[in-house]
Every structure is written in C-alpha cells, then in structure tokens.
C-alpha cells in the first residue's frame, strides 16, 4: 500500500469518527493495517487488533509507553524527534522505521502516517496508520547493493563501458571513459555520443553501433588507430542491444595483438627448429610437441599429446622423472643433461636435454619446456676421434719401437754375417748361419714396413701397386702360413697408380687382414689387379670366408661397424674408405653369407695419374662378382 492509500484510509476513518464511535471501531478492526490514536500529547489511547497481534502487548502496556521498547534502537531517536516536530507544528507525521515483531523477534520495516483530527468532544487527537514495507525495503536495499557492486566493477575495469539510448545519448559511462575524456559524469550525462569522442572514433565506431541498433543483435568488431584512450592503437568493441538502446565495452587490444604476434613468431621458431621442443605439465603429461620432436622420436603430436612423458623414457630410467619434476617445481633449470630416450619404433637415441620451468602470468610454475638434441652422431665422432688418436699413438709407438730395433738389429746382422763367413764353421753351422741371416732380414723388413705405415716422407706420385700388394702379403706371411691359406695373385694390364704409397698400403693391409680373419683354415684369398673401362686401376681382394651379415652391409664403411664382434674395432674400413676417396677413387663390396656359396669381394678403383675426386666421381664404378672362391 502506498502513501495515497494511507491518506484515503485516514480520510475514511476520520469520517467514521464523526458519525459514531461504534462504526469507527468496526472499521479499524477490519483494516489489515496497523491503526492507532493518541491524545494531544502523543500518548496512545487506542490501537486495533492487527496492531496488538504484531506487538504482542496488552492495551494497558501500550498505553504505558512500552511500544517504544519495540522500535529498533537505531531508529528510536529519529522517530521521537520527528513525532515531536509534527505535534508541535500540527503537521502530518510520516516516517519509515523498524519495529520488532512479537511472533519471531524479527524487526520489520513500517511506513507510519499520522494526522491531527478533532473528535466529537472537540479535543485535538492524532490518528495513525502503518503498513509493513519490509519487502519493498529489501528490494530497494538489494537494488542499491547491486548498483553499488555494478558501479564498483565497472569503475575498476580498465576498459571503457557506455550505455547509450536510441537517440545516441549517454545514459551511463565507466570511470575509464571519464578519465579518457577528462570530463565529469554531470558533464556527459545526456550528451550525444558523437559529441564526446574525437571525429576519428566517430567514423570507426558508428557503423558497428548502427548495426547493433538496427539488427538488435550483439556485434563484436575491431578498430585500428583510433584515439579513444589518449593514443593510437588497436581496439576491440563488444556492443549489445538493450531495451532502450545499446551498451558497449571498448577494450584496448594493442598489447594483446602484440602478444599474439610474439606467440606466432615463437611458434614459427619452435616449429622450424631441428631440435625437439616439448612441453609438459607438472604431472609429466605432454602438452605440446613440435616438428623436430616428431623427426627425432617418430611420434606425431596427435599421438603423444595428452600422454605421459614416460612414453619416450626407457624403463630403467623412468625413476629419474620424479626427481626432474621436483627440481622443476623448485624453479631449478636442468642444463645439457645427457641421457637416452626411446623412439616410436623402439630404437634408442642418445640426447642432450635442457629442461626449464614454465610460469604463468602470476609467476607460478605450471609446467616445463624441454629441448632435446640428438647427440648420437656427435658421440660417435667423438669416439672416432679418440680411436683415431689411439691408432695414431699406436702407430707412433710402433714406429718408435721399430726405430729402436734398427740399431741393435744392425749389430746382430753384422755379427751374423761374420759368423756365416767364418772359415772354421762346419757345414751344418754354415747352414744354420744362412737361416739366421734370412730371419734377421725378415725382422728388418717388418721394422721397415712398420716405419713405412706411420711415416712416409715421399710426396704423392706414381708407384707400383703390384709391388705394394706383395709387400703387404710379405707382412702377413706368418698368418697365411699359420692358417694354411691358399693365396692366388693375378696381376695384369699394368701396375702403376698415382698417390701416397704409405696410405694405399694401409688400405690393402686392412683388406688383406680382414680376408685372412674371414676364412677358415685352409681357405682361399685372391688378389687381382686390372684396368677398368674408365681408365682407372681396379684391385680386387676376394676371399671364400663366412661373408658379411645383411644387417651390417649397409653400414660397413661407417665408424665402429664390424663383423668381427669383440675382435674388431670397426675403424679399418672407415679409415680405408676415407683414404680411397681422398685419392679420387672408390671402394665397393659384394658379399654372400649363404653356406656353400659364402665369400666377400672388395673392389678398389685408383687413378693412374694425378686425378682428383671430382673427375673420378663423374662415373660411379660398379662391378659384379664374376667369380666365386670355392671352399
């Protein structure tokens, strides 16, 4: 019930009083409002049933003034003062205050209205009517609180927020708008939007706003280089229709676009990297996987993202992962950690891993970024260098030993010569002295050849390959004899080639030694020298040994690949291949490991003149195994 209703009820009540007291009582008892009367001093002398039920007091207690005990302590003073002023001036009393309800002790808001009237005896009295307005007050308070919260939210955001009616007049603006325009809200209230912002903003925003106003549907659009917040930039506008117009949120997207550009560039760098770049959360679940990771590990992003990083970690190393995650949670970075990982096909790869913690915008560690690099080839080359250095050291040691042997060997040779020419020797002694001279000569040849393998002071030039092969055979003669190997030599079409005789001797020493190791006792080895259609000299080293296994053939000229097991170091053919290519030649192999037909043939093409690799490489040599050495 509103104030006009109260006034109407008062008028009706006053009329009833003038008629008769009985009708007045009947009327007030039937009203749903609280009705009371007071004397000229404000003392209540009557209240209706509804009033009594609410207060829970007897008429005598109310007349004694206990009604003031029911008014909320915070409201008592205001009610007394206003009632005093109304009585003194004879003006109507109207006020909202809280009164405690007897049924549950709850304070309820009441709107009380009282006016003076003259009773039948001519005395001045007051007639009051009150209604419960608690529901309205709660709604008003909720609306006020909601408005305060909304104003607080809109005032705290960094974006510009506006409410505009259908006439393009501002109905509300956020604090950001006031700051950007330099005006107060009273200055902007009711102003036309286009009169507030610069002309550049008018042109850019107008079409978007008109679309929302015309179609009555939300619309999001972007504007570039518009002065809205005091500078040029990139802005995003979210405009929504309202019953009376539109609301618009304008946010500065300049930094966001720059961040997106940085992210795009970073993503391009990550995708183009040859290294594997992977990210994971603190539970070890893969969250990103670049192209380099696919190349290194074989897994495609859709196959691995969402799975545990343990997928690529060998079982025996998975115990390391908790320690790695603990280190990341504490903010520590792991640099160049060398370990082993598993590819999709099950093969293992040696990698160097750098792991860094990833933080969110608040600085909290939320995951890790991992960069993995294949270091297998690097380690193999490193090992090759170590082995090469070992071989070089062995060669230097052998040369030093050979050099030291030469001095006493010369003395032994001279003494043996003197003994062999002694006229007092018997025939048997002279025979033994001749054998001694032959063996000393053999030892001298071995020492000279050992020096020749390491030190060759001659410049590259023409030399006789047939003589070189014979010297190699002489070097390994004891091995041939020990295994009873049948050696066949077939030299034709000339023997002259061009190059370093010491280096070429090392090539054929490796090939002949491999042939000796491959055959069984009583086996056969064949050396053949001839000419090829390209004009180069072709040298074959063939054996009827066990052959080379298929899994080894394709990698035969790589370092540390051997078919001899623990007996070989896998460097001889790799070194030989490099020497032959250095001389502009080529080396090929044909092999068979089928029992009864097994055997291996190495073919080496060498230039007869000073021809470098670029000329020889123009025609790749090929050959077929036209002969087979029977077991």
């Amino acid at each position: 019930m509103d104030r006009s209703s109260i006034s109407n009820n008062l008028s009706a009540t006053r009329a009833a009083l003038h008629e008769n007291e009985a009708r007045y009582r009947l009327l007030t008892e039937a009203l749903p409002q609280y009705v009371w009367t007071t004397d000229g001093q404000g003392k209540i002398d009557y209240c209706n049933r509804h009033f009594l039920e609410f207060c829970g007091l007897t008429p005598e207690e109310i007349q004694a003034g206990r009604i003031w005990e029911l008014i909320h302590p915070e409201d008592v003073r205001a009610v007394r003062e206003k009632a005093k002023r109304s009585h003194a001036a004879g003006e109507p009393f109207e006020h909202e205050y809280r009164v405690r309800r007897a049924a549950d002790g709850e304070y309820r808001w009441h709107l009380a209205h009282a006016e003076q009237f003259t009773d039948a005896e001519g005395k001045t009295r007051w007639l009051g009517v009150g209604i419960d307005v608690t529901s309205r007050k709660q709604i008003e308070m909720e609306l006020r609180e909601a408005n305060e919260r909304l104003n607080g939210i809109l005032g705290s955001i960094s974006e510009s927020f506006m409410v505009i009616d259908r006439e393009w007049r501002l109905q509300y603006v956020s604090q950001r708008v006031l700051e950007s325009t330099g005006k107060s809200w009273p200055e902007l209230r009711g102003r036309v939007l286009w009169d507030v912002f610069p002309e550049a903003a008018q042109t850019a925003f107008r079409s978007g706003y008109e679309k929302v106003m015309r179609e009555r549907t939300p619309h999001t659009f972007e504007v570039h280089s518009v002065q809205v917040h005091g500078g040029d930039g990139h802005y995003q506008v979210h405009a929504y229709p309202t019953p009376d117009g539109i609301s618009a949120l304008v946010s500065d997207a300049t930094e966001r676009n720059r961040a997106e550009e940085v992210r795009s560039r970073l993503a391009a760098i990550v995708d183009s990297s040859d290294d594997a770049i992977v990210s994971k959360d603190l539970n070890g679940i893969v969250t990103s996987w670049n192209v380099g990771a696919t190349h290194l590990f074989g897994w495609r992003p859709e196959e691995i993202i969402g799975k545990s990083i343990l997928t690529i970690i060998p079982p025996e190393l998975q115990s390391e992962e908790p320690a790695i995650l603990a280190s990341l949670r504490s903010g520590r970075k792991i640099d160049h950690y060398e370990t082993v990982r598993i590819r999709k096909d099950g093969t293992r790869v040696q990698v160097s891993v750098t792991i860094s913690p990833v933080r969110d915008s608040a600085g909290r560690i939320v995951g890790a970024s991992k960069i993995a690099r294949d270091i297998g080839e690097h380690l193999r080359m490193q090992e090759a260098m170590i082995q090469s250095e070992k071989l070089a050291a062995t060669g230097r040691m052998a040369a030093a030993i050979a050099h030291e042997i030469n001095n006493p060997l010369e003395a032994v040779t001279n003494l043996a010569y003197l003994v062999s020419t002694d006229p007092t020797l018997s025939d048997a002694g002279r025979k033994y002295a001749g054998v001694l001279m032959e063996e000393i000569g053999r030892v001298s040849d071995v020492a000279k050849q050992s020096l020749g393998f390491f030190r060759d002071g001659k410049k590259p030039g023409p030399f006789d390959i047939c003589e070189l092969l014979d010297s190699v055979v002489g070097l390994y003669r004891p091995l041939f004899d020990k295994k009873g190997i049948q050696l066949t030599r077939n030299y034709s079409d000339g023997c002259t080639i061009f190059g370093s005789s010491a280096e070429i001797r090392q090539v054929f020493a490796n090939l002949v030694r491999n042939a000796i190791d491959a055959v069984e006792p009583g086996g056969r080895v064949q050396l053949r020298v001839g000419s090829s259609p390209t004009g180069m000299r072709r040298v074959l080293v063939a054996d009827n040994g066990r052959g080379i296994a298929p899994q080894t053939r394709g990698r035969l000229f790589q370092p540390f690949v051997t078919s001899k097991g623990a007996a070989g170091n896998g460097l001889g053919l790799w070194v030989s291949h490099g020497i032959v290519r250095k001389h502009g030649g080529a080396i090929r192999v044909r092999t068979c490991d089928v029992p009864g037909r097994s055997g291996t043939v190495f073919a080496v093409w060498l230039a007869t003149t000073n021809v470098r690799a670029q000329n020889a490489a123009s025609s790749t040599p090929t050959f077929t195994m036209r002969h087979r050495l029977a077991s």
Side-chain angles (χ1 to χ4, degrees), residues 7 155 214 231 311 316 342 395 454 517 557:
S7 298
R214 180 178 62 255
T311 305
E316 69 274 13
I342 301 177
F454 176 71
D517 292 339
F557 295 109

Side-chain angles (χ1 to χ4, degrees), residues 44-120:
I44 295 176
D45 54 14
Y46 167 76
C47 55
N48 68 348
R49 176 182 54 82
H50 195 51
F51 190 108
L52 293 173
E53 290 176 352
F54 180 86
C55 294
L57 301 175
T58 65
E60 292 76 18
E61 290 175 326
I62 291 177
Q63 291 175 4
R66 291 194 59 188
I67 186 65
W68 291 101
E69 298 176 5
L70 304 181
I71 298 176
H72 196 284
E74 295 179 1
D75 299 338
V76 171
R77 181 177 179 181
V79 174
R80 286 185 180 276
E81 290 179 353
K82 192 156 189 177
K84 185 178 180 180
R85 288 195 300 270
S86 297
H87 281 74
E91 298 176 350
F93 168 85
E94 185 172 289
H95 192 60
E96 289 183 355
Y97 55 94
R98 289 163 289 182
V99 182
R100 187 173 69 244
R101 184 166 56 190
D104 55 11
E106 179 186 357
Y107 281 99
R108 306 286 294 179
W109 281 95
H110 287 80
L111 171 61
H113 188 91
E115 293 184 5
Q116 279 186 352
F117 73 97
T118 304
D119 62 10

Side-chain angles (χ1 to χ4, degrees), residues 34 54 71 93 97 115 140 152 170-171 240 282 310 355 357 383 417 427 454 461 463 473 506 539 615-616 625:
Y34 311 111
F54 180 86
I71 298 176
F93 168 85
Y97 55 94
E115 293 184 5
E140 288 178 356
L170 292 170
Q171 301 301 308
Y240 303 87
L282 291 179
L310 297 177
I355 310 175
E383 183 64 22
Y417 174 76
D427 292 338
F454 176 71
F463 64 91
V473 170
Q506 185 175 356
V539 182
N615 296 327
M625 192 180 293

Side-chain angles (χ1 to χ4, degrees), residues 18 117-125:
H18 284 293
F117 73 97
T118 304
D119 62 10
E121 299 177 357
K123 295 180 180 180
T124 300
R125 300 180 65 192

Side-chain angles (χ1 to χ4, degrees), residues 524-545:
R524 301 176 62 188
V525 173
Q526 186 177 72
L527 303 179
R528 177 176 292 181
V529 178
S531 298
S532 69
T534 60
M536 302 183 74
R537 197 75 66 205
R538 185 183 67 177
V539 182
L540 299 181
V541 179
D543 67 73
N544 66 341

Side-chain angles (χ1 to χ4, degrees), residues 198-356:
E199 184 177 353
Q202 299 176 25
T203 304
F205 290 135
R206 190 160 198 149
S207 61
Y209 287 158
E210 288 179 344
K211 176 180 175 66
V212 176
M213 196 77 81
R214 180 178 62 255
E215 299 179 1
R216 309 306 296 165
T217 57
H219 181 43
T220 299
F221 56 96
E222 293 191 355
V223 181
H224 184 63
S225 297
V226 176
Q227 293 180 348
V228 176
H229 295 160
D232 291 345
H234 198 91
Y235 300 90
Q236 187 175 64
V237 183
H238 302 275
Y240 303 87
T242 64
D244 299 322
I246 61 173
S247 62
L249 183 69
V250 183
S251 57
D252 190 340
T254 303
E255 293 302 321
R256 183 202 64 189
N257 287 356
R258 288 175 181 169
E260 289 179 353
E261 183 179 354
V262 170
R263 283 195 294 269
S264 298
R265 291 179 179 175
L266 180 60
I269 293 173
V270 170
D271 285 340
S272 62
S273 173
D274 291 334
D275 293 334
I277 302 178
V278 179
S279 62
K280 61 182 179 182
D281 63 19
L282 291 179
N283 294 318
I285 303 301
V286 177
T287 56
S288 72
W289 188 269
N290 76 332
V291 175
T294 298
H295 291 162
L296 180 57
F297 298 114
W299 297 90
R300 297 192 301 274
E302 61 270 20
E303 295 175 322
I304 193 69
I305 291 178
K307 293 185 178 180
S308 172
I309 196 67
L310 297 177
T311 305
I312 63 172
I313 300 179
E316 69 274 13
L317 298 179
Q318 292 185 1
S319 59
E320 299 175 355
E321 185 64 11
I324 292 174
L325 292 175
S327 179
L328 292 171
R329 289 190 182 97
S330 65
R332 294 194 299 272
K333 180 182 178 182
I334 300 173
D335 277 320
H336 305 299
Y337 172 61
E338 294 187 1
T339 184
V340 177
R341 293 295 179 259
I342 301 177
R343 293 189 175 100
K344 183 180 178 181
D345 61 5
T347 60
R348 300 194 173 202
V349 56
Q350 292 175 302
V351 294
S352 173
V353 180
T354 296
I355 310 175
S356 304

